[in-house]
Amino acid sequence: MIKRFTFGEPFETDSVLEKPNAEKEFNDDRFWWEDGALRLTLKDDEIVYGLGETIRGINKRGWFYKSHNTDDGNHTENKQSMYGAHNFLLLDGGAADAPKKLIFVDTGVDVHYDIGYSKHNEVYVRPVKPDFDLYVIDGKDLSSVVSEFRKLIGRSYIPPKWAFGSGQSRWGYKSSDDLREVMNKMKEANIPLDMIYIDIDYMEGYRDFTINSETFKDMNELIAEMKKNNIHLIPIIDAGVKAEEGFSVYDEGHKKGYFCTDKDGKEFIVCVWPGECVFPDFINPEARHWFGMQYKKLTDLGIDGFWNDMNEPAIFYSKTRLEDVAKRVIEIASGDLNKETSGQLRNTANSIQNNPRDYDLFFHKKDGKEYVHTDLHNLYGYNMTRGASEAFDELCKDKRILLFSRSSCIGMHRYGGIWHGDNRSWFSHILLNLKLMPSLNMCGFLYSGADIGGFGDNVTEDLLLRWYALGIFTPLMRNHSALGTRRQEPYNFEKTETFKDIISIRYRLIPYLYSEYMKAAVNNTMMFKPLAFEYENDEIAKHVEDQLLLGDSIMIAPVYEQNAVGRNVYIPERMKLIRFSGGKMIDEGILEKGTHFVNIPISDVCLFLKENRILPLAKGGMNVSEVDFEDLEKVYFGNNVKPYEYYNDNGETKDYEGHIREIKVC
Ligand code: MIG
């Protein structure tokens, strides 16, 4: 059951499109409102799920979090925020038969969460401004509460089928020939590929919607060549628009008043990649639509996928902050330098980038009213992506476009996916990647994945192999790395053949992954679930944080430690161990309920198949268009095999009804 309560005068976020009527006053069996926060006492064993994209565990208990969309590429345990604001918590009630409860704080302002941080059994949820809608969903089990929530926030974004292929990316591809090299080397190594991503260097001086006339002068031919090879080029789009007279996007937006302004009504100037920039006012519906229509410059060339970056928004520095910091640095430096002042100096200098106080300095317009950015900060990236998606609906009507964003808020899940931002080439980030999947699924972000191999720092071959062994299961599968780090394309390593084997498994799994994705989208269910969602009476399963259920048939348990030769896997019911090794699938027999040490050498991928369920497998292919979605091998065991509900469609158009049929074994 859903209840809605309104506190103060909330700004319309459009996170929920069809709102139930608000109750007269706030009243709940577990939460109460006190001193500007929602409060709750947890049961001793209660698990708290939620918050979508954040650091730490699937169970969020024991830390202090903030939903504040942040460009911070250092995802360590001491942080409080990542790039998204996913303001929901799901309580398991502390026992399998206890009532479940989900709360969703619908707001664009920051929210602070003390989840058993100050006191183990106490929670407070404090919206920084007490103007918000609160939704409370009560139910019997975790999955059905999540489904009710998902129905409330609307159907998840659905990408084209080819977007379930493998992608190669790197910040540092500088010319069309660099991209040809990627295509050719992947082909020579027989590694399947569907997408090559182009980072900021394809633009003319980092100006959005331009193409570098020297390094990418043959863009048209490049796109055609890639298309012939069934490869999609996916360009990046940044939020900041170069503030430069003569640049048509700026001129037009300037004339129409579509950029954010300062307190005096002048355009607010920040520095991002192109130098001095302005921020399009995505909160203003006309400006949002206008910016979205700019993507046409690229879709007209045959581009059919995009990633939106820097839209928290990220700020290298604002003009105002620069002046202020410069002044203070000189002041401090001209005084007596000692231990204290040199610390001050460092802190002052460091405060120049992504300073949240800059968000108090610029303004948005909507329906003739002005709003300071801070009051709707977390809606910015969401509305950038929404603008693009709405423009595609106009420009390409029935054609699906690949679209994902770095920054997000609940509501944006209807318009695009998200990637997990600037992670690092660390083994611990394989595990973070895994933990984020179900938390994101709960709030509608189904098309998601992390930079495989890690974005920052230098990768090692074993890390990359282990990461792929998880990445082949995530809907968004992309190897991406930062400028200046060790090259990370699979063909740069010794075991090229092993990379080929592992990435090829993805192309055998695609019919299953696509089918499970589509069912999750259409039915408002989760594709990735913590074990607790199905084995609620199993005290061990309930606390497993390094294995996931993937769809109806399988469980995954990747290795995330260096030099491990395998790992302990908790088997919550009889399952069959399926091993992929050296390009072959090997049936390793049945594992009974309990903990098992499973050998998983660096060359192998293991998955665990439930009894009486079917895993359909394709023959594979070099890209998605080569995969035969009808010629399927059925892997199963048991005497009472349940028919598999198989979703398949053309993968391109937007008609999602009537594509499910049963696959049976004879
Ligand atoms: O300031 O475009 O998260 O994926 O490669 C860094 C360059 C800007 C951040 C993105 C990353 C991308 C990088 N961008």
PDB file of all heavy atoms in Angstrom, residues 404-419:
ATOM      1  N   PHE A 404      22.992   7.116 -21.620  1.00  0.00           N
ATOM      2  CA  PHE A 404      23.198   7.012 -20.181  1.00  0.00           C
ATOM      3  C   PHE A 404      23.975   8.210 -19.673  1.00  0.00           C
ATOM      4  O   PHE A 404      24.568   8.964 -20.447  1.00  0.00           O
ATOM      5  CB  PHE A 404      23.805   5.673 -19.761  1.00  0.00           C
ATOM      6  CG  PHE A 404      25.134   5.325 -20.367  1.00  0.00           C
ATOM      7  CD1 PHE A 404      26.321   5.689 -19.749  1.00  0.00           C
ATOM      8  CD2 PHE A 404      25.199   4.593 -21.541  1.00  0.00           C
ATOM      9  CE1 PHE A 404      27.544   5.340 -20.299  1.00  0.00           C
ATOM     10  CE2 PHE A 404      26.435   4.232 -22.095  1.00  0.00           C
ATOM     11  CZ  PHE A 404      27.603   4.611 -21.483  1.00  0.00           C
ATOM     12  N   SER A 405      23.912   8.396 -18.384  1.00  0.00           N
ATOM     13  CA  SER A 405      24.344   9.638 -17.763  1.00  0.00           C
ATOM     14  C   SER A 405      25.254   9.308 -16.588  1.00  0.00           C
ATOM     15  O   SER A 405      25.240   8.203 -16.063  1.00  0.00           O
ATOM     16  CB  SER A 405      23.083  10.349 -17.272  1.00  0.00           C
ATOM     17  OG  SER A 405      23.388  11.458 -16.466  1.00  0.00           O
ATOM     18  N   ARG A 406      26.030  10.290 -16.148  1.00  0.00           N
ATOM     19  CA  ARG A 406      26.785  10.084 -14.918  1.00  0.00           C
ATOM     20  C   ARG A 406      25.929  10.506 -13.724  1.00  0.00           C
ATOM     21  O   ARG A 406      25.698   9.728 -12.821  1.00  0.00           O
ATOM     22  CB  ARG A 406      28.109  10.858 -14.944  1.00  0.00           C
ATOM     23  CG  ARG A 406      29.036  10.378 -13.842  1.00  0.00           C
ATOM     24  CD  ARG A 406      30.423  10.942 -13.970  1.00  0.00           C
ATOM     25  NE  ARG A 406      30.466  12.361 -13.680  1.00  0.00           N
ATOM     26  CZ  ARG A 406      31.591  13.079 -13.692  1.00  0.00           C
ATOM     27  NH1 ARG A 406      32.748  12.502 -14.006  1.00  0.00           N
ATOM     28  NH2 ARG A 406      31.563  14.363 -13.416  1.00  0.00           N
ATOM     29  N   SER A 407      25.414  11.707 -13.760  1.00  0.00           N
ATOM     30  CA  SER A 407      24.587  12.158 -12.645  1.00  0.00           C
ATOM     31  C   SER A 407      23.142  11.721 -12.861  1.00  0.00           C
ATOM     32  O   SER A 407      22.689  11.614 -14.001  1.00  0.00           O
ATOM     33  CB  SER A 407      24.660  13.673 -12.559  1.00  0.00           C
ATOM     34  OG  SER A 407      23.804  14.137 -11.544  1.00  0.00           O
ATOM     35  N   SER A 408      22.421  11.494 -11.755  1.00  0.00           N
ATOM     36  CA  SER A 408      21.029  11.066 -11.892  1.00  0.00           C
ATOM     37  C   SER A 408      20.257  11.320 -10.613  1.00  0.00           C
ATOM     38  O   SER A 408      20.821  11.659  -9.573  1.00  0.00           O
ATOM     39  CB  SER A 408      20.948   9.576 -12.233  1.00  0.00           C
ATOM     40  OG  SER A 408      21.406   8.806 -11.134  1.00  0.00           O
ATOM     41  N   CYS A 409      18.967  11.146 -10.727  1.00  0.00           N
ATOM     42  CA  CYS A 409      18.050  11.237  -9.597  1.00  0.00           C
ATOM     43  C   CYS A 409      16.924  10.272  -9.958  1.00  0.00           C
ATOM     44  O   CYS A 409      16.723   9.982 -11.150  1.00  0.00           O
ATOM     45  CB  CYS A 409      17.539  12.676  -9.508  1.00  0.00           C
ATOM     46  SG  CYS A 409      16.490  13.016  -8.091  1.00  0.00           S
ATOM     47  N   ILE A 410      16.197   9.789  -8.985  1.00  0.00           N
ATOM     48  CA  ILE A 410      15.063   8.918  -9.320  1.00  0.00           C
ATOM     49  C   ILE A 410      14.104   9.700 -10.213  1.00  0.00           C
ATOM     50  O   ILE A 410      13.792  10.854  -9.934  1.00  0.00           O
ATOM     51  CB  ILE A 410      14.364   8.427  -8.037  1.00  0.00           C
ATOM     52  CG1 ILE A 410      15.287   7.435  -7.324  1.00  0.00           C
ATOM     53  CG2 ILE A 410      13.024   7.762  -8.366  1.00  0.00           C
ATOM     54  CD1 ILE A 410      14.785   6.956  -5.983  1.00  0.00           C
ATOM     55  N   GLY A 411      13.652   9.105 -11.266  1.00  0.00           N
ATOM     56  CA  GLY A 411      12.876   9.801 -12.296  1.00  0.00           C
ATOM     57  C   GLY A 411      13.658   9.707 -13.596  1.00  0.00           C
ATOM     58  O   GLY A 411      13.112   9.431 -14.661  1.00  0.00           O
ATOM     59  N   MET A 412      14.980   9.904 -13.479  1.00  0.00           N
ATOM     60  CA  MET A 412      15.823   9.806 -14.670  1.00  0.00           C
ATOM     61  C   MET A 412      15.903   8.391 -15.205  1.00  0.00           C
ATOM     62  O   MET A 412      16.208   8.184 -16.374  1.00  0.00           O
ATOM     63  CB  MET A 412      17.235  10.323 -14.382  1.00  0.00           C
ATOM     64  CG  MET A 412      17.952  10.768 -15.647  1.00  0.00           C
ATOM     65  SD  MET A 412      19.741  10.634 -15.557  1.00  0.00           S
ATOM     66  CE  MET A 412      19.964   8.921 -16.035  1.00  0.00           C
ATOM     67  N   HIS A 413      15.599   7.420 -14.342  1.00  0.00           N
ATOM     68  CA  HIS A 413      15.652   6.020 -14.777  1.00  0.00           C
ATOM     69  C   HIS A 413      14.682   5.756 -15.937  1.00  0.00           C
ATOM     70  O   HIS A 413      14.799   4.747 -16.610  1.00  0.00           O
ATOM     71  CB  HIS A 413      15.292   5.110 -13.596  1.00  0.00           C
ATOM     72  CG  HIS A 413      13.860   5.239 -13.213  1.00  0.00           C
ATOM     73  ND1 HIS A 413      13.367   6.335 -12.548  1.00  0.00           N
ATOM     74  CD2 HIS A 413      12.799   4.452 -13.480  1.00  0.00           C
ATOM     75  CE1 HIS A 413      12.062   6.209 -12.416  1.00  0.00           C
ATOM     76  NE2 HIS A 413      11.688   5.072 -12.956  1.00  0.00           N
ATOM     77  N   ARG A 414      13.723   6.645 -16.143  1.00  0.00           N
ATOM     78  CA  ARG A 414      12.793   6.468 -17.272  1.00  0.00           C
ATOM     79  C   ARG A 414      13.426   6.891 -18.593  1.00  0.00           C
ATOM     80  O   ARG A 414      12.942   6.534 -19.659  1.00  0.00           O
ATOM     81  CB  ARG A 414      11.517   7.304 -17.045  1.00  0.00           C
ATOM     82  CG  ARG A 414      10.739   6.965 -15.780  1.00  0.00           C
ATOM     83  CD  ARG A 414       9.356   7.604 -15.791  1.00  0.00           C
ATOM     84  NE  ARG A 414       9.416   9.051 -15.862  1.00  0.00           N
ATOM     85  CZ  ARG A 414       9.416   9.873 -14.798  1.00  0.00           C
ATOM     86  NH1 ARG A 414       9.349   9.359 -13.569  1.00  0.00           N
ATOM     87  NH2 ARG A 414       9.472  11.173 -14.952  1.00  0.00           N
ATOM     88  N   TYR A 415      14.476   7.701 -18.507  1.00  0.00           N
ATOM     89  CA  TYR A 415      15.036   8.316 -19.718  1.00  0.00           C
ATOM     90  C   TYR A 415      16.386   7.762 -20.148  1.00  0.00           C
ATOM     91  O   TYR A 415      16.802   7.957 -21.281  1.00  0.00           O
ATOM     92  CB  TYR A 415      15.154   9.826 -19.506  1.00  0.00           C
ATOM     93  CG  TYR A 415      13.840  10.444 -19.136  1.00  0.00           C
ATOM     94  CD1 TYR A 415      13.555  10.813 -17.817  1.00  0.00           C
ATOM     95  CD2 TYR A 415      12.857  10.621 -20.105  1.00  0.00           C
ATOM     96  CE1 TYR A 415      12.331  11.360 -17.479  1.00  0.00           C
ATOM     97  CE2 TYR A 415      11.629  11.168 -19.771  1.00  0.00           C
ATOM     98  CZ  TYR A 415      11.373  11.531 -18.452  1.00  0.00           C
ATOM     99  OH  TYR A 415      10.158  12.064 -18.125  1.00  0.00           O
ATOM    100  N   GLY A 416      17.089   7.139 -19.230  1.00  0.00           N
ATOM    101  CA  GLY A 416      18.414   6.643 -19.596  1.00  0.00           C
ATOM    102  C   GLY A 416      18.991   5.793 -18.482  1.00  0.00           C
ATOM    103  O   GLY A 416      18.428   5.692 -17.390  1.00  0.00           O
ATOM    104  N   GLY A 417      20.138   5.221 -18.754  1.00  0.00           N
ATOM    105  CA  GLY A 417      20.848   4.443 -17.742  1.00  0.00           C
ATOM    106  C   GLY A 417      21.889   5.311 -17.064  1.00  0.00           C
ATOM    107  O   GLY A 417      21.945   6.526 -17.274  1.00  0.00           O
ATOM    108  N   ILE A 418      22.696   4.692 -16.207  1.00  0.00           N
ATOM    109  CA  ILE A 418      23.844   5.388 -15.618  1.00  0.00           C
ATOM    110  C   ILE A 418      25.047   4.442 -15.588  1.00  0.00           C
ATOM    111  O   ILE A 418      24.896   3.235 -15.473  1.00  0.00           O
ATOM    112  CB  ILE A 418      23.596   5.894 -14.174  1.00  0.00           C
ATOM    113  CG1 ILE A 418      23.071   4.778 -13.265  1.00  0.00           C
ATOM    114  CG2 ILE A 418      22.647   7.062 -14.151  1.00  0.00           C
ATOM    115  CD1 ILE A 418      22.941   5.209 -11.797  1.00  0.00           C
ATOM    116  N   TRP A 419      26.223   5.022 -15.708  1.00  0.00           N
ATOM    117  CA  TRP A 419      27.406   4.218 -15.378  1.00  0.00           C
ATOM    118  C   TRP A 419      27.895   4.693 -14.031  1.00  0.00           C
ATOM    119  O   TRP A 419      27.449   5.727 -13.543  1.00  0.00           O
ATOM    120  CB  TRP A 419      28.458   4.282 -16.485  1.00  0.00           C
ATOM    121  CG  TRP A 419      29.496   5.358 -16.435  1.00  0.00           C
ATOM    122  CD1 TRP A 419      30.783   5.231 -16.000  1.00  0.00           C
ATOM    123  CD2 TRP A 419      29.374   6.716 -16.909  1.00  0.00           C
ATOM    124  NE1 TRP A 419      31.455   6.421 -16.148  1.00  0.00           N
ATOM    125  CE2 TRP A 419      30.628   7.344 -16.702  1.00  0.00           C
ATOM    126  CE3 TRP A 419      28.345   7.461 -17.478  1.00  0.00           C
ATOM    127  CZ2 TRP A 419      30.869   8.678 -17.038  1.00  0.00           C
ATOM    128  CZ3 TRP A 419      28.576   8.786 -17.810  1.00  0.00           C
ATOM    129  CH2 TRP A 419      29.821   9.379 -17.589  1.00  0.00           C
TER     130      TRP A 419
END
